[in-house]
Amino acid sequence: MNCIDTHTHLYLDEFDADRRETVEAAIAAGVNKLMLPNIDSASVHPMLALCEAFPDHCYPMIGLHPTSVKENYMDELAAMECWLLDRKFYGIGECGIDLYWDKTFFHEQEYVFRHHIDLALAYNLPLIVHIRDSFNEVIRILKDVNKPDLRGIFHCFSGSPEQARQAIGYGFSLGLGGVITFKNNKMQETLKQVDLKHLVLETDAPFLAPVPYRGKRNEPAYIPLIAEKVAEIKGISLQEVAEATTANALKLFNIASDTQI
Ligand code: NI
């Protein structure tokens, strides 16, 4: 099987002891490409170091995570723009709105998200959108900016069929992670209704590990567990899920297919 983890934070401290082994385990599990969304200016160097160590497998993105939007957000945006001028990135993110952890900087989060939308359009890159407790706010902003050329991923999507239709209507794919393997998750009906061409796989490692690793550290090697769940819900083969989601991700990130895929 060949899959892509479209969202993994493998450069974080949680992997300091075994980062190389974790990448090798992912490759051995058939997860050949790892897309790395950024958190803030401090995570750029560790992220790029990982991409230099595994140039055929790890791909950097650049952005300011909504929970990292603080008083210094203008400095963070300036640093991000410098990086974009300096080298190739494959996406803009992780960005968006988070109303789960802390609402103090909600207005700044919105300003920063709108700035990320502008950068995604200027650089023709996919936008990786974090929507924790903020789906309606994100849709309101996308409606307001009204840019049909925008593309990207609604990261960790777990919404209703109607919410899926809205996200897809704005040009976005749905990022499916460990949450779809949890008991009582609401994605069964949504996944039955959504065409495979709108789906990509992601772990959000080290967070949100799928069953049977729920609560433990997540890692890209667990992507097949998510693919299996999609196959089970949609009543299709694992191979079909792997092929479709991989093709979707390659197209979205504008990465050429290679012999490993
Ligand atoms: Ni993330």
Side-chain angles (χ1 to χ4, degrees), residues 211-258:
V211 172
Y213 303 105
R214 187 173 182 181
K216 306 219 170 72
R217 188 186 73 169
N218 199 0
E219 54 176 275
Y222 299 159
I223 279 283
L225 294 168
I226 300 162
E228 273 169 26
K229 192 70 189 177
V230 176
E232 179 195 315
I233 293 170
K234 291 188 84 63
I236 55 178
S237 71
L238 181 59
Q239 187 63 25
E240 204 176 338
V241 173
E243 280 174 13
T245 54
T246 297
N248 297 342
L250 290 173
K251 186 175 169 210
L252 187 62
F253 289 104
N254 203 14
I255 296 172
S257 183
D258 60 32

Side-chain angles (χ1 to χ4, degrees), residues 112-260:
V112 169
F113 180 42
R114 286 173 179 267
H115 195 82
H116 280 64
I117 292 173
D118 291 341
L119 289 172
L121 290 163
Y123 286 85
N124 188 25
L125 291 171
L127 193 66
I128 310 305
V129 188
H130 175 110
I131 50 168
R132 191 152 192 200
D133 284 2
S134 63
F135 182 87
N136 291 336
E137 282 75 13
V138 166
I139 290 292
R140 171 178 59 78
I141 294 164
L142 292 177
K143 187 175 179 188
D144 184 52
V145 299
N146 188 25
K147 299 288 184 193
D149 291 344
L150 209 53
R151 71 185 198 279
I153 297 171
F154 269 45
H155 157 55
C156 198
F157 185 84
S158 60
S160 66
E162 175 52 29
Q163 288 177 323
R165 271 189 285 279
Q166 284 182 281
I168 291 163
Y170 284 103
F172 285 78
S173 300
L174 310 182
L176 304 178
V179 172
I180 70 160
T181 68
F182 297 175
K183 250 190 190 150
N184 302 326
N185 84 84
K186 293 176 264 172
M187 284 290 285
Q188 296 257 348
E189 190 52 37
T190 302
L191 280 176
K192 280 180 194 157
Q193 293 189 24
V194 173
D195 193 284
L196 260 184
K197 69 181 177 198
H198 302 299
L199 306 178
V200 294
L201 306 177
E202 59 173 43
T203 57
D204 202 20
F207 315 108
L208 293 170
V211 172
Y213 303 105
R214 187 173 182 181
K216 306 219 170 72
R217 188 186 73 169
N218 199 0
E219 54 176 275
Y222 299 159
I223 279 283
L225 294 168
I226 300 162
E228 273 169 26
K229 192 70 189 177
V230 176
E232 179 195 315
I233 293 170
K234 291 188 84 63
I236 55 178
S237 71
L238 181 59
Q239 187 63 25
E240 204 176 338
V241 173
E243 280 174 13
T245 54
T246 297
N248 297 342
L250 290 173
K251 186 175 169 210
L252 187 62
F253 289 104
N254 203 14
I255 296 172
S257 183
D258 60 32
T259 49
Q260 280 154 338

